């Protein structure tokens, strides 16, 4: 019996989970989320202590044209995992997104806020949230936002790449949220899986929010990256309307994360400290 079975291997959070003791990560070659039944069968075969789903279809803009595939991977596969875990009474932790919310207002969204996704990616992730709750097992749906790390493609690495050839950038300044390091998300997943396995774990099942603090705009996030990296790049704010994308992005990605700390002892990490650690990893 493996300790914690992780769906995903090369993504940002899955990579960080793979660095932790007691995890077994499965890539697409072993666990293809376009085949939900096969994913459920793997859980029944391995019988781990807990399951974390860190795999997803994350091409937000392309999902507008491939919503059926995104829904299979992001919705139906996690649903099958949740049902398999419920049948074995084992904890299931699933990473979701702020994109299931409408992005309206200026206050932090509560975990029990009514979902109203603005794009296909958000709709696909909402399918999973609904099904996981209906499965009736021990579960934690962890909504997070603005993921960054030393691995893969993300905003921090994009800013560093652009800085190699640019000394001035325009960055969206009216979308506000909490940047969140993949390492912090991985640690939160482990804490949730452990907490769900306790004697009072079933009572902790639910949807939780987790994002870095403080909340900032993309433009201010970029400024902090350049400041810490010692790069002289001027950043000018532009409105979302001046940077159109196929998928609509929420303007307000602030999330109230208090219930996660209450249930599992996981507070909001300072993303600025995580930026410093990642820049050191990257040798910047």
């Amino acid at each position: 019996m493996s300790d914690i079975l992780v769906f995903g291997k090369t993504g940002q959070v899955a990579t960080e989970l793979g660095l932790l003791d007691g995890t077994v990560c499965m890539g697409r070659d072993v666990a293809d989320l376009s085949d939900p039944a096969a994913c459920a069968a793997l859980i029944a075969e391995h019988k781990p202590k807990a399951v974390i789903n860190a795999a997803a279809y994350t091409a937000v803009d392309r999902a507008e044209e491939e919503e059926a595939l995104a829904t299979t991977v992001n919705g139906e596969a996690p649903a099958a995992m949740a049902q398999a875990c419920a049948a074995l009474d084992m904890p299931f932790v699933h990473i979701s997104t702020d994109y299931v919310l409408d992005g309206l207002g200026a206050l932090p969204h509560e975990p029990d806020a009514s979902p109203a996704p603005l794009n296909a990616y958000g709709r696909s992730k909402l399918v999973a949230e609904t099904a996981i709750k209906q499965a009736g097992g021990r579960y934690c749906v962890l909504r997070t936002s603005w993921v960054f790390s030393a691995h893969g493609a993300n905003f921090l690495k994009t800013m560093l790449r652009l800085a190699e050839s640019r000394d001035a950038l325009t960055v969206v300044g009216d979308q506000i949220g909490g940047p969140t390091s993949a390492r912090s998300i991985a640690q939160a997943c482990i804490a949730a899986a452990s907490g769900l396995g306790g004697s009072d774990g079933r009572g902790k099942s639910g949807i939780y929010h987790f994002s870095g603090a403080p909340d900032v705009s993309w433009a201010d996030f970029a400024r902090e990256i350049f400041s810490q990296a010692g790069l002289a790049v001027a950043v000018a704010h532009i409105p979302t309307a001046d940077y159109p994308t196929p998928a609509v992005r929420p303007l307000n990605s602030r999330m109230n994360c208090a219930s996660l700390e209450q249930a599992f002892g996981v507070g909001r990490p300072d993303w600025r400290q995580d930026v410093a650690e990642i820049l050191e990893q990257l040798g910047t």
Side-chain angles (χ1 to χ4, degrees), residues 3 10 31 65 70-71 91 94 103 141 145 151 157 171 175 184 199 208 210 222-223 237 244 256 266 272 280:
D3 288 337
T10 59
E65 298 179 355
T71 300
H94 171 72
V141 170
S145 65
H151 321 289
K157 293 181 71 178
V171 181
Q175 294 176 26
S184 295
S199 57
Y208 294 89
F210 182 63
R223 286 195 182 94
H237 286 238
N256 187 335
V266 180
R272 296 166 297 190
E280 185 175 355

Side-chain angles (χ1 to χ4, degrees), residues 151-192:
H151 321 289
N154 57 72
F155 183 80
L156 180 148
K157 293 181 71 178
T158 297
M159 290 300 101
L160 294 178
R161 176 176 55 80
L162 291 175
E164 294 175 358
S165 59
R166 309 271 294 275
D167 58 10
L169 292 170
T170 55
V171 181
V172 170
D174 59 352
Q175 294 176 26
I176 310 296
T180 320
S181 75
R183 179 178 299 175
S184 295
I185 297 170
Q187 293 168 343
C189 287
I190 296 295

Side-chain angles (χ1 to χ4, degrees), residues 175-266:
Q175 294 176 26
I176 310 296
T180 320
S181 75
R183 179 178 299 175
S184 295
I185 297 170
Q187 293 168 343
C189 287
I190 296 295
S194 177
L196 288 171
S199 57
D200 61 343
R202 182 171 290 278
K204 295 180 178 180
S205 291
I207 295 173
Y208 294 89
H209 288 172
F210 182 63
S211 63
D215 293 321
V216 292
S217 68
W218 287 111
D220 286 335
F221 185 20
R223 286 195 182 94
E224 181 67 18
I225 293 167
F226 295 140
S227 175
Q228 289 199 29
L231 298 170
V233 180
V235 177
H237 286 238
I238 60 170
T240 296
D242 287 356
Y243 188 73
T245 55
V248 177
R249 264 66 171 178
L251 293 179
N252 178 22
S253 290
R254 301 173 183 88
M255 297 191 291
N256 187 335
C257 306
S259 61
L260 185 71
E261 185 165 15
Q262 293 166 1
F264 302 112
V266 180

